[in-house]
């Protein structure tokens, strides 16, 4: 069902809650499509608590058999680059992405036809060729890799700020306040509640609240978005050694036998970033202390020293503690609120959402403006077929 609450000749008024990768880009696309948009965030775009608040995020097309994301990644990269040119501001670093294949290679083999279909350039690098190109990597246990030379990384928290700056410059309104969904009557949300009993009314409401979405909309989302604690480490590289910087080091993902590890060469001289993708314990994005645990430091150091032997003894120069906002199937949510035809729920990035921000924003804007129907892949109804929320 397509709903437009705007009267003819009047711009639709949309409130977007959350200025992270999903909400910021949604607000910008809505604005560029002719809506009157107010963007609201409790702590600001890419803030230290937000899932988009890290230094950098990977953008790649290798996604195993999950075709929708391969196409979305291709579209998102196009939009990142388009806006980079439009704003004359660097958002994307083309380092190439090296995906080291799992022992059976099934996930990676499933990726190849999809990469081809989406027009994402890649090469299959077998053992000897990979060693020749990247002598700083120990390829033990890795039979082959996918090399996406046009992919790379995005500066994460900074790009959220850049999106907000341009959203405001292009005519959007921004308010830094916590918001909660207002009453639902007659199948519509009537307002957004702000502190001090103040309400904000709009024709449509988009909740893009990342790891907070479950608590904010407990009856519909609840445990369907579960935040898990994730620790990230930056190692200091030897002075003058270009092997571990953007000059020679690709962005990488190791889909190895003991889980997925990933890393990004230092942005803004931050060091060599490495992290374990394994989901950590469940956490609260508002109150969790962001101090790394000694066990995680030991674990990542062991991995880094094995895969990048030249970094043996490298000190940890910086750390981050963040959280993934996981759905049960690790697929995003982009859907209408089941009880309010003018409210939309967008989130569940599940550790891989950032890169897709511009594409998610474009798709959500089309939904809100009644130009498209929700895609069943991202609909809430898929959970009804599985376990109900706790
Ligand atoms: C360590 C780590 C590594 C990752 N690596 C990658 C990667 O390499 N590539 C990739 O593509 N993705 C990656 N991700 C995932 C990606 O960062 C997230 O999926 C994405 O940033 C989620 O964006 P979001 O806008 O949904 O959420 P957020 O960025 O969390 O934004 C939500 C916003 O909503 C605001 N908010 C919440 N509640 C309220 C309220 N009540 N009122 C007002 N405002 C509110 C918050 O302040 C916040 O700014 C990684 C995530 C982590 C944690």
């Amino acid at each position: 069902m397509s709903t437009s609450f705007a009267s003819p000749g009047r711009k639709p008024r949309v409130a977007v809650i959350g200025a992270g990768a999903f909400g910021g880009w949604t607000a910008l696309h809505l604005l560029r499509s002719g809506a009157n948009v107010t963007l609201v965030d409790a702590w600001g775009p890419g803030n230290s608590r937000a899932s988009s608040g890290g230094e950098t995020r990977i953008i790649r097309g290798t996604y195993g058999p999950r075709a929708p994301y391969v196409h979305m990644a291709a579209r998102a990269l196009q939009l990142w680059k388009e806006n980079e040119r439009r704003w004359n501001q660097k958002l994307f670093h083309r380092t190439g992405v090296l995906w080291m294949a799992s022992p059976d290679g099934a996930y990676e083999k499933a990726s190849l036809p999809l990469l081809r279909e989406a027009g994402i350039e890649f090469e299959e690098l077998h053992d000897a060729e990979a060693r020749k190109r990247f002598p700083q990597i120990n390829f033990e246990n890795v039979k082959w890799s996918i090399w996406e030379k046009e992919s790379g990384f995005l500066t994460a928290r900074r790009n959220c700020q850049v999106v907000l700056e341009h959203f405001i410059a292009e005519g959007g309104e921004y308010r830094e306040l916590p918001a909660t969904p207002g009453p639902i009557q007659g199948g519509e949300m009537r307002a957004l509640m702000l502190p001090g009993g103040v309400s904000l009314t709009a024709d449509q409401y988009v909740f893009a609240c990342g790891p907070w979405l479950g608590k904010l909309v407990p009856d519909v989302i609840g445990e369907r978005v579960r935040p898990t604690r994730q620790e990230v480490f930056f190692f200091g590289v030897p002075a003058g050694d270009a092997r571990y910087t953007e000059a020679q080091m690709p962005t990488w993902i190791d889909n190895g036998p003991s889980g997925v590890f990933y890393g990004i060469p230092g942005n803004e001289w931050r060091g060599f970033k490495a992290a374990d993708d394994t989901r950590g314990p469940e956490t609260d994005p508002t109150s969790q202390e962001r101090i790394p645990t000694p066990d995680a430091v030991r674990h990542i150091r062991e991995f880094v020293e094995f895969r990048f032997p030249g970094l043996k003894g490298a000190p940890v120069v910086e750390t981050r503690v963040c959280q993934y906002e996981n759905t049960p199937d690790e697929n995003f949510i982009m859907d209408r609120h089941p009880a309010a035809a003018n409210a939309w729920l967008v989130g569940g990035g599940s550790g891989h959402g950032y890169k897709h921000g511009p594409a998610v924003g474009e798709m959500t804007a089309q939904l809100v403006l009644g130009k498209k129907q929700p895609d069943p892949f991202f609909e809430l109804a898929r959970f009804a077929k599985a376990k109900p929320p706790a």
Side-chain angles (χ1 to χ4, degrees), residues 17-23 40-47 49-53 56-59 63 177-180 208-212 216 230 232 262 264 273 322-325 346-356:
I17 304 91
F22 284 3
V40 183
D41 196 290
W43 293 290
N47 68 78
R49 287 178 167 107
S51 295
S52 307
T56 47
R57 297 289 185 253
I58 300 172
I59 180 160
Y63 253 102
L177 291 169
T180 49
C209 301
W212 289 269
L216 205 66
Q230 308 298 143
V232 176
Y262 63 89
I264 298 177
K273 172 172 158 178
C322 194
Q323 67 282 309
Y324 290 163
E325 59 294 331
V346 181
S350 305
H352 64 104
Y354 190 91
K355 69 180 78 56
H356 298 291

Side-chain angles (χ1 to χ4, degrees), residues 85-104:
R85 282 193 297 273
R86 181 174 180 153
W87 297 332
N88 193 25
Q89 250 168 314
K90 195 160 178 64
L91 307 172
F92 165 66
H93 293 239
R94 185 183 150 273
T95 55
V97 172
L98 184 73
W99 180 291
M100 297 176 237
S102 54
D104 70 2

Side-chain angles (χ1 to χ4, degrees), residues 144-308:
W144 64 289
S145 306
I146 299 176
W147 172 234
E148 291 181 34
K149 88 171 162 42
E150 298 299 326
S151 301
F153 74 86
L154 302 151
T155 38
R157 65 184 175 83
R158 188 146 61 72
N159 291 3
C160 292
Q161 293 167 29
V162 171
V163 169
L164 177 70
E165 280 160 25
H166 289 279
F167 167 77
I168 294 170
E170 292 177 32
E173 190 197 353
Y174 172 64
R175 305 186 65 181
E176 203 157 292
L177 291 169
T180 49
I184 295 173
Q185 284 157 2
E188 286 178 19
M189 188 165 288
R190 297 294 171 180
L192 188 68
M193 304 315 293
L194 302 176
V198 175
S199 63
L200 187 154
T201 52
D203 300 310
Q204 309 252 3
Y205 304 88
V206 181
F207 294 91
C209 301
W212 289 269
L213 201 57
K215 277 207 170 147
L216 205 66
V217 197
D219 49 338
V220 178
I221 302 290
E223 289 284 304
R224 283 163 178 166
V225 172
R226 216 170 46 84
T228 55
R229 181 183 161 91
Q230 308 298 143
E231 301 189 12
V232 176
F233 300 90
F234 298 78
F235 288 87
V237 305
D241 192 342
R243 292 176 301 162
Y244 303 102
T245 70
E246 229 177 292
Q248 292 177 25
M249 186 74 209
T251 295
W252 53 273
I253 297 169
D254 183 351
N255 193 9
S258 49
V260 176
F261 290 82
Y262 63 89
I264 298 177
N267 66 299
E268 294 167 2
W269 306 279
R270 295 296 84 194
F272 178 95
K273 172 172 158 178
D276 182 347
D277 183 56
T278 308
R279 271 55 180 163
E282 203 159 326
T283 193
D284 180 329
T286 302
S287 62
Q288 78 159 323
E289 291 255 47
R290 293 171 193 264
I291 300 165
T293 51
D295 273 357
V297 179
R298 251 190 317 275
H299 178 64
I300 196 72
R301 191 187 291 285
E302 209 176 288
F303 172 80
V304 166
E305 292 189 350
F306 165 72
R307 192 58 86 207
F308 307 94

